[in-house]
Amino acid sequence: MTRVFSGIQPTGETHLGNYIGAMRQYVVDQHHHESLYCVVDLHAVTVEHDPEVLRERTLQMATLLLAVGLDPEVCTLFAQSHVPAHTQLAWLLECTASFGELRRMTQFKEKTATGGEGAARVGLFTYPVLMAADILLYDTDRVPVGDDQRQHIELTRDLAERFNGRYGPTFTVPSGFIPEVGARIMDLQDPATKMSKSRSSPQGKVLVLEDLASVAKKIKRAVTDAESEVRYDPAAKPGVSNLLSLLAVATGGEPAALAERYEQYGPLKADTAEAVVELLRPVQECHAELSRDPGHVAAALTRGAERAVELAQPVLERAQRAMGFLR
Ligand code: AMP
Ligand code: TRP
Protein backbone atom coordinates (compact mmCIF):
# COMPACT_ATOMS: atom_id res chain seq x y z
CA MET A 1 0.00 0.00 0.00
CA THR A 2 1.26 3.48 -0.78
CA ARG A 3 2.72 5.22 2.25
CA VAL A 4 1.97 8.92 2.71
CA PHE A 5 3.87 11.25 5.04
CA SER A 6 3.60 14.98 5.60
CA GLY A 7 4.65 17.44 8.25
CA ILE A 8 3.36 20.80 9.34
CA GLN A 9 4.97 23.31 11.66
CA PRO A 10 3.25 24.47 14.84
CA THR A 11 4.38 28.04 14.26
CA GLY A 12 2.26 31.11 13.71
CA GLU A 13 -1.38 30.86 12.95
CA THR A 14 -2.59 28.45 10.32
CA HIS A 15 -3.91 30.20 7.24
CA LEU A 16 -5.99 29.35 4.22
CA GLY A 17 -2.87 28.47 2.18
CA ASN A 18 -1.85 25.80 4.70
CA TYR A 19 -5.36 24.41 4.75
CA ILE A 20 -5.89 24.39 1.00
CA GLY A 21 -2.37 23.55 -0.12
CA ALA A 22 -1.66 20.84 2.41
CA MET A 23 -4.13 19.87 5.16
CA ARG A 24 -7.08 19.33 2.87
CA GLN A 25 -5.02 16.80 0.95
CA TYR A 26 -4.10 14.94 4.12
CA VAL A 27 -7.76 14.37 4.88
CA VAL A 28 -8.40 12.83 1.46
CA ASP A 29 -5.23 10.72 1.45
CA GLN A 30 -5.82 9.09 4.83
CA HIS A 31 -8.68 7.07 3.32
CA HIS A 32 -6.70 5.86 0.31
CA HIS A 33 -3.19 5.28 1.61
CA GLU A 34 -1.39 4.35 4.80
CA SER A 35 -0.83 7.88 6.09
CA LEU A 36 1.31 9.55 8.72
CA TYR A 37 1.03 13.22 9.66
CA CYS A 38 3.50 14.89 11.91
CA VAL A 39 3.43 18.16 13.83
CA VAL A 40 7.06 19.11 13.24
CA ASP A 41 7.83 20.79 16.54
CA LEU A 42 11.60 20.32 16.09
CA HIS A 43 11.45 22.42 12.94
CA ALA A 44 9.73 25.17 14.91
CA VAL A 45 12.83 25.91 17.00
CA THR A 46 14.99 26.81 14.00
CA VAL A 47 13.91 30.41 14.55
CA GLU A 48 13.38 32.33 17.76
CA HIS A 49 10.60 30.80 19.84
CA ASP A 50 9.00 30.86 23.26
CA PRO A 51 8.89 27.44 24.98
CA GLU A 52 5.44 27.99 26.48
CA VAL A 53 4.04 29.09 23.15
CA LEU A 54 5.60 26.10 21.39
CA ARG A 55 3.88 23.74 23.82
CA GLU A 56 0.53 25.43 23.24
CA ARG A 57 0.88 25.57 19.50
CA THR A 58 1.88 21.95 19.14
CA LEU A 59 -1.34 20.93 20.83
CA GLN A 60 -3.28 23.56 18.87
CA MET A 61 -1.96 22.27 15.56
CA ALA A 62 -2.87 18.71 16.46
CA THR A 63 -6.36 19.92 17.46
CA LEU A 64 -6.72 21.73 14.15
CA LEU A 65 -5.62 18.66 12.17
CA LEU A 66 -8.33 16.65 13.91
CA ALA A 67 -10.82 19.47 13.27
CA VAL A 68 -10.17 19.51 9.52
CA GLY A 69 -10.95 15.81 9.47
CA LEU A 70 -7.95 13.65 10.29
CA ASP A 71 -9.11 10.55 12.10
CA PRO A 72 -6.52 9.13 14.51
CA GLU A 73 -8.11 5.71 14.07
CA VAL A 74 -7.41 5.89 10.34
CA CYS A 75 -4.09 7.71 10.09
CA THR A 76 -1.11 8.15 12.40
CA LEU A 77 -0.93 11.65 13.88
CA PHE A 78 2.04 12.45 16.11
CA ALA A 79 4.56 15.05 17.26
CA GLN A 80 8.02 14.87 15.70
CA SER A 81 9.89 15.26 19.02
CA HIS A 82 8.14 12.16 20.40
CA VAL A 83 9.98 9.94 17.93
CA PRO A 84 13.75 10.13 18.57
CA ALA A 85 14.57 8.35 15.29
CA HIS A 86 13.94 11.63 13.39
CA THR A 87 16.97 13.37 14.87
CA GLN A 88 19.01 10.17 14.83
CA LEU A 89 18.50 9.70 11.11
CA ALA A 90 19.03 13.42 10.51
CA TRP A 91 22.67 13.07 11.59
CA LEU A 92 23.29 10.25 9.12
CA LEU A 93 21.77 12.40 6.41
CA GLU A 94 23.76 15.48 7.44
CA CYS A 95 26.76 13.35 6.62
CA THR A 96 25.20 12.58 3.24
CA ALA A 97 24.20 16.12 2.26
CA SER A 98 26.73 18.68 1.13
CA PHE A 99 27.17 22.21 2.45
CA GLY A 100 26.76 23.58 -1.08
CA GLU A 101 23.40 21.99 -1.70
CA LEU A 102 21.96 23.29 1.57
CA ARG A 103 23.31 26.70 0.75
CA ARG A 104 21.18 26.75 -2.37
CA MET A 105 17.90 26.24 -0.51
CA THR A 106 15.60 29.14 -1.28
CA GLN A 107 13.87 29.01 2.10
CA PHE A 108 17.19 29.45 3.92
CA LYS A 109 18.10 32.37 1.68
CA GLU A 110 14.70 33.99 2.22
CA LYS A 111 14.73 33.52 5.97
CA THR A 112 18.22 34.95 6.35
CA ALA A 113 17.66 37.80 3.89
CA THR A 114 16.91 40.34 6.60
CA GLY A 115 18.81 39.12 9.69
CA GLY A 116 21.84 37.81 7.77
CA GLU A 117 23.41 34.34 7.81
CA GLY A 118 25.70 35.08 10.73
CA ALA A 119 23.03 35.11 13.39
CA ALA A 120 20.89 32.33 11.88
CA ARG A 121 20.63 29.14 13.93
CA VAL A 122 22.56 26.21 12.50
CA GLY A 123 19.29 24.28 12.66
CA LEU A 124 17.79 26.70 10.15
CA PHE A 125 20.54 25.71 7.75
CA THR A 126 20.16 21.95 8.31
CA TYR A 127 16.35 22.13 8.48
CA PRO A 128 15.85 20.46 5.06
CA VAL A 129 17.95 17.48 6.18
CA LEU A 130 15.68 16.93 9.19
CA MET A 131 12.75 17.14 6.80
CA ALA A 132 14.38 14.49 4.59
CA ALA A 133 14.81 12.29 7.68
CA ASP A 134 11.11 12.76 8.54
CA ILE A 135 10.13 11.49 5.13
CA LEU A 136 12.69 8.72 4.59
CA LEU A 137 12.10 7.14 8.01
CA TYR A 138 8.72 5.81 6.95
CA ASP A 139 9.55 4.36 3.52
CA THR A 140 7.31 7.12 2.22
CA ASP A 141 6.10 7.05 -1.38
CA ARG A 142 4.08 10.25 -1.48
CA VAL A 143 4.46 13.59 0.27
CA PRO A 144 1.51 15.99 -0.02
CA VAL A 145 2.79 19.58 0.29
CA GLY A 146 2.27 23.05 -1.11
CA ASP A 147 4.36 24.39 -3.96
CA ASP A 148 6.91 26.08 -1.66
CA GLN A 149 8.23 22.68 -0.54
CA ARG A 150 9.19 21.48 -4.03
CA GLN A 151 12.90 22.15 -3.53
CA HIS A 152 12.98 20.35 -0.18
CA ILE A 153 11.35 17.28 -1.72
CA GLU A 154 13.95 17.31 -4.52
CA LEU A 155 16.71 17.39 -1.90
CA THR A 156 15.09 14.46 -0.06
CA ARG A 157 15.06 12.44 -3.29
CA ASP A 158 18.71 13.34 -3.99
CA LEU A 159 19.77 12.32 -0.49
CA ALA A 160 17.89 9.01 -0.70
CA GLU A 161 19.46 8.20 -4.05
CA ARG A 162 22.94 9.22 -2.93
CA PHE A 163 22.67 7.16 0.26
CA ASN A 164 21.36 4.14 -1.66
CA GLY A 165 24.16 4.54 -4.20
CA ARG A 166 26.88 4.74 -1.55
CA TYR A 167 25.68 2.21 0.98
CA GLY A 168 23.28 -0.05 -0.89
CA PRO A 169 19.48 0.02 -1.25
CA THR A 170 18.12 1.47 1.99
CA PHE A 171 15.50 4.15 1.39
CA THR A 172 12.37 4.39 -0.71
CA VAL A 173 12.71 7.41 -3.01
CA PRO A 174 9.58 9.52 -2.40
CA SER A 175 7.62 11.79 -4.73
CA GLY A 176 6.07 15.10 -3.79
CA PHE A 177 2.37 15.48 -4.37
CA ILE A 178 1.47 19.07 -5.11
CA PRO A 179 -2.21 19.77 -5.87
CA GLU A 180 -2.99 21.27 -9.28
CA VAL A 181 -5.24 23.96 -7.86
CA GLY A 182 -4.49 25.66 -4.56
CA ALA A 183 -0.82 24.70 -4.16
CA ARG A 184 0.07 28.35 -3.95
CA ILE A 185 -2.55 30.57 -2.37
CA MET A 186 -1.48 34.16 -2.76
CA ASP A 187 -1.49 37.06 -0.32
CA LEU A 188 -4.82 38.90 -0.67
CA GLN A 189 -3.18 42.32 -0.54
CA ASP A 190 -0.06 41.46 -2.51
CA PRO A 191 -1.08 38.69 -4.91
CA ALA A 192 2.39 38.45 -6.43
CA THR A 193 3.63 36.78 -3.22
CA LYS A 194 2.32 33.67 -1.46
CA MET A 195 0.13 33.87 1.62
CA SER A 196 2.63 33.39 4.44
CA LYS A 197 2.42 32.98 8.21
CA SER A 198 5.35 35.28 8.78
CA ARG A 199 5.40 37.69 5.87
CA SER A 200 1.76 38.41 5.00
CA SER A 201 0.06 41.38 6.62
CA PRO A 202 -3.11 40.68 8.66
CA GLN A 203 -5.23 41.89 5.72
CA GLY A 204 -3.28 39.71 3.30
CA LYS A 205 -3.97 36.39 4.99
CA VAL A 206 -7.06 34.58 6.18
CA LEU A 207 -6.65 32.41 9.25
CA VAL A 208 -8.46 29.11 9.48
CA LEU A 209 -9.81 30.02 12.92
CA GLU A 210 -10.57 33.66 12.16
CA ASP A 211 -13.97 35.21 12.82
CA LEU A 212 -16.04 34.41 9.71
CA ALA A 213 -17.30 37.97 9.22
CA SER A 214 -13.71 39.12 9.08
CA VAL A 215 -12.86 36.34 6.59
CA ALA A 216 -15.60 37.56 4.25
CA LYS A 217 -14.48 41.16 4.60
CA LYS A 218 -10.86 40.37 3.74
CA ILE A 219 -11.81 38.42 0.64
CA LYS A 220 -14.14 41.17 -0.55
CA ARG A 221 -11.28 43.65 -0.15
CA ALA A 222 -8.73 41.50 -1.98
CA VAL A 223 -6.49 43.36 -4.40
CA THR A 224 -7.28 42.54 -8.04
CA ASP A 225 -6.17 44.68 -11.00
CA ALA A 226 -7.19 47.69 -13.06
CA GLU A 227 -8.90 45.67 -15.80
CA SER A 228 -12.38 44.27 -15.44
CA GLU A 229 -12.18 40.95 -17.25
CA VAL A 230 -12.56 37.80 -15.12
CA ARG A 231 -10.01 35.36 -16.51
CA TYR A 232 -7.85 32.63 -14.96
CA ASP A 233 -4.29 33.69 -15.72
CA PRO A 234 -2.07 33.48 -12.61
CA ALA A 235 0.89 35.24 -14.25
CA ALA A 236 -0.96 38.21 -15.73
CA LYS A 237 -3.86 38.41 -13.26
CA PRO A 238 -2.63 37.00 -9.93
CA GLY A 239 -5.31 38.59 -7.72
CA VAL A 240 -8.30 37.48 -9.80
CA SER A 241 -6.76 34.03 -10.38
CA ASN A 242 -6.22 33.62 -6.65
CA LEU A 243 -9.92 34.30 -6.02
CA LEU A 244 -10.84 31.80 -8.74
CA SER A 245 -8.56 29.18 -7.17
CA LEU A 246 -10.16 29.74 -3.76
CA LEU A 247 -13.64 29.51 -5.25
CA ALA A 248 -12.67 26.36 -7.18
CA VAL A 249 -11.29 24.62 -4.13
CA ALA A 250 -14.22 25.61 -1.94
CA THR A 251 -16.87 24.54 -4.46
CA GLY A 252 -15.10 21.67 -6.19
CA GLY A 253 -14.96 23.41 -9.60
CA GLU A 254 -12.27 24.38 -12.11
CA PRO A 255 -10.86 27.94 -11.97
CA ALA A 256 -10.95 28.52 -15.75
CA ALA A 257 -14.51 27.22 -16.09
CA LEU A 258 -15.69 29.29 -13.11
CA ALA A 259 -14.22 32.43 -14.67
CA GLU A 260 -16.72 32.19 -17.52
CA ARG A 261 -19.59 32.69 -15.11
CA TYR A 262 -18.46 36.16 -14.08
CA GLU A 263 -18.45 39.47 -15.90
CA GLN A 264 -17.34 41.60 -12.97
CA TYR A 265 -15.05 41.37 -9.97
CA GLY A 266 -17.72 42.28 -7.38
CA PRO A 267 -19.86 39.14 -7.74
CA LEU A 268 -16.72 36.95 -7.97
CA LYS A 269 -15.52 38.37 -4.67
CA ALA A 270 -18.91 37.97 -3.01
CA ASP A 271 -19.26 34.33 -4.10
CA THR A 272 -15.68 33.50 -3.14
CA ALA A 273 -16.14 35.08 0.27
CA GLU A 274 -19.28 33.04 0.88
CA ALA A 275 -17.71 29.80 -0.36
CA VAL A 276 -14.62 30.21 1.83
CA VAL A 277 -16.77 31.03 4.85
CA GLU A 278 -18.74 27.81 4.27
CA LEU A 279 -15.49 25.89 3.83
CA LEU A 280 -14.19 27.10 7.18
CA ARG A 281 -17.41 27.00 9.19
CA PRO A 282 -17.46 23.23 9.90
CA VAL A 283 -13.73 23.25 10.70
CA GLN A 284 -14.26 26.00 13.27
CA GLU A 285 -17.24 24.23 14.81
CA CYS A 286 -15.32 21.00 15.15
CA HIS A 287 -12.30 22.85 16.53
CA ALA A 288 -14.41 24.52 19.22
CA GLU A 289 -15.72 21.14 20.30
CA LEU A 290 -12.29 19.46 20.38
CA SER A 291 -10.77 22.36 22.31
CA ARG A 292 -13.02 21.53 25.24
CA ASP A 293 -11.09 18.30 25.75
CA PRO A 294 -7.34 18.87 25.23
CA GLY A 295 -6.66 15.56 27.02
CA HIS A 296 -8.26 13.74 24.10
CA VAL A 297 -5.90 15.39 21.61
CA ALA A 298 -2.84 14.73 23.76
CA ALA A 299 -3.85 11.08 24.09
CA ALA A 300 -4.21 10.80 20.30
CA LEU A 301 -0.66 12.15 19.91
CA THR A 302 0.69 9.63 22.40
CA ARG A 303 -0.93 6.72 20.55
CA GLY A 304 0.29 8.12 17.24
CA ALA A 305 3.87 8.32 18.50
CA GLU A 306 3.78 4.69 19.62
CA ARG A 307 2.79 3.59 16.16
CA ALA A 308 5.32 5.91 14.49
CA VAL A 309 8.18 4.55 16.64
CA GLU A 310 7.27 1.01 15.56
CA LEU A 311 7.51 1.98 11.92
CA ALA A 312 10.55 4.23 12.17
CA GLN A 313 12.88 2.10 14.29
CA PRO A 314 13.51 -0.70 11.74
CA VAL A 315 14.20 1.88 9.01
CA LEU A 316 16.65 3.75 11.24
CA GLU A 317 18.43 0.49 12.05
CA ARG A 318 18.56 -0.44 8.37
CA ALA A 319 20.26 2.91 7.63
CA GLN A 320 22.66 2.56 10.57
CA ARG A 321 23.73 -0.93 9.45
CA ALA A 322 24.14 0.20 5.85
CA MET A 323 26.39 3.05 6.94
CA GLY A 324 28.61 0.77 8.97
CA PHE A 325 27.49 1.14 12.55
CA LEU A 326 27.68 -1.93 14.78
CA ARG A 327 24.19 -3.11 15.67
P1 AMP B 1 4.26 25.77 6.90
O1 AMP B 1 3.32 26.82 7.28
O2 AMP B 1 5.48 26.31 6.22
O3 AMP B 1 4.53 24.75 7.95
O4 AMP B 1 3.52 24.98 5.72
C1 AMP B 1 2.63 23.93 5.94
C2 AMP B 1 2.11 23.40 4.61
O5 AMP B 1 1.32 24.41 3.97
C3 AMP B 1 3.23 23.04 3.60
O6 AMP B 1 2.88 21.86 2.91
C4 AMP B 1 3.26 24.24 2.68
O7 AMP B 1 3.73 23.89 1.40
C5 AMP B 1 1.79 24.65 2.65
N1 AMP B 1 1.64 26.08 2.34
C6 AMP B 1 2.20 27.12 3.03
N2 AMP B 1 1.83 28.31 2.47
C7 AMP B 1 1.02 27.99 1.41
C8 AMP B 1 0.31 28.78 0.45
N3 AMP B 1 0.35 30.12 0.45
N4 AMP B 1 -0.42 28.13 -0.49
C9 AMP B 1 -0.49 26.77 -0.49
N5 AMP B 1 0.15 25.98 0.38
C10 AMP B 1 0.90 26.57 1.33
N1 TRP C 1 9.24 22.11 5.79
C1 TRP C 1 7.83 21.93 5.83
C2 TRP C 1 7.16 23.32 5.80
O1 TRP C 1 7.72 24.30 6.17
C3 TRP C 1 7.35 21.17 7.02
C4 TRP C 1 7.88 19.77 7.03
C5 TRP C 1 8.81 19.26 7.90
C6 TRP C 1 7.48 18.72 6.18
N2 TRP C 1 9.00 17.96 7.65
C7 TRP C 1 8.23 17.57 6.61
C8 TRP C 1 6.60 18.61 5.11
C9 TRP C 1 8.10 16.35 5.96
C10 TRP C 1 6.48 17.38 4.49
C11 TRP C 1 7.21 16.26 4.90
O2 TRP C 1 6.03 23.39 5.44
Side-chain angles (χ1 to χ4, degrees), residues 58 156 161 183 186-187 283 298 306:
T58 301
T156 304
E161 281 167 0
M186 308 311 277
D187 184 303
V283 173
E306 282 164 11

Side-chain angles (χ1 to χ4, degrees), residues 310-326:
E310 270 171 34
L311 295 173
Q313 195 58 30
V315 182
L316 173 67
E317 289 177 17
R318 198 197 299 155
Q320 288 169 328
R321 271 194 302 275
M323 224 171 157
F325 297 105
L326 288 175

Side-chain angles (χ1 to χ4, degrees), residues 108-270:
F108 179 73
K109 288 196 242 173
E110 279 174 9
K111 290 198 173 173
T112 53
T114 36
E117 277 184 8
R121 298 182 183 189
V122 176
L124 186 66
F125 186 66
T126 58
Y127 171 122
V129 180
L130 179 60
M131 173 164 167
D134 298 340
I135 297 168
L136 298 180
L137 258 185
Y138 297 95
D139 287 331
T140 303
D141 302 291
R142 167 181 163 107
V143 190
V145 280
D147 184 69
D148 58 358
Q149 297 302 312
R150 216 178 269 275
Q151 198 184 27
H152 291 159
I153 303 290
E154 254 337 286
L155 175 77
T156 304
R157 292 170 54 87
D158 289 346
L159 295 181
E161 281 167 0
R162 190 174 310 150
F163 193 104
N164 290 347
R166 273 187 200 157
Y167 308 115
T170 306
F171 296 124
T172 301
V173 181
S175 304
F177 176 77
I178 297 170
E180 268 172 38
V181 179
R184 197 168 173 81
I185 298 299
M186 308 311 277
D187 184 303
L188 296 174
Q189 289 302 314
D190 178 11
T193 65
K194 67 169 184 177
M195 188 177 287
S196 150
K197 283 175 182 167
S198 52
R199 283 184 303 277
S200 290
S201 68
Q203 294 308 316
K205 65 183 168 199
V206 163
L207 305 180
V208 175
L209 296 179
E210 180 166 344
D211 170 67
L212 292 173
S214 156
V215 171
K217 204 183 285 173
K218 285 183 185 176
I219 292 176
K220 287 182 188 158
R221 287 186 186 158
V223 167
T224 47
D225 53 51
E227 301 176 6
S228 58
E229 188 198 1
V230 177
R231 176 161 53 90
Y232 184 69
D233 182 346
K237 296 174 76 72
V240 171
S241 302
N242 196 35
L243 291 170
L244 287 166
S245 296
L246 290 173
L247 183 63
V249 165
T251 60
E254 283 294 321
L258 286 167
E260 290 173 15
R261 297 195 198 159
Y262 296 91
E263 310 258 289
Q264 289 171 322
Y265 293 170
L268 169 65
K269 286 183 175 178

Side-chain angles (χ1 to χ4, degrees), residues 288-311:
E289 201 161 308
L290 286 164
S291 300
R292 278 184 224 124
D293 187 4
H296 167 79
V297 181
L301 286 180
T302 305
R303 282 198 311 276
E306 282 164 11
R307 164 97 182 120
V309 166
E310 270 171 34
L311 295 173

